[in-house]
Amino acid sequence: MTKWEYATLPLIIHATKQILDQWGDDGWELVTVIPGPDGNAPVAYLKRPKS
């Protein structure tokens, strides 16, 4: 059975692709993006298998 670890990170609108590409290179998979608590900056939820 696969065990997962999770991360959340705020996304800066003008650098979203670069941020997600960097996390993807580290093995993270994007699960979802939702509005942040202040309604402005979106928050990304990511997961990757535990090693």
Side-chain angles (χ1 to χ4, degrees):
M1 181 164 118
T2 304
K3 295 188 178 194
W4 301 93
E5 62 179 324
Y6 299 90
T8 58
L9 67 141
L11 293 174
I12 301 167
I13 297 301
H14 67 274
T16 301
K17 180 182 181 328
Q18 294 88 344
I19 293 168
L20 293 175
D21 282 348
Q22 182 173 354
W23 281 75
D25 288 343
D26 290 337
W28 292 94
E29 177 182 350
L30 180 64
V31 176
T32 194
V33 176
I34 62 169
D38 62 2
N40 292 327
V43 177
Y45 287 76
L46 303 106
K47 71 176 184 177
R48 71 177 174 187
K50 283 187 177 183
S51 43

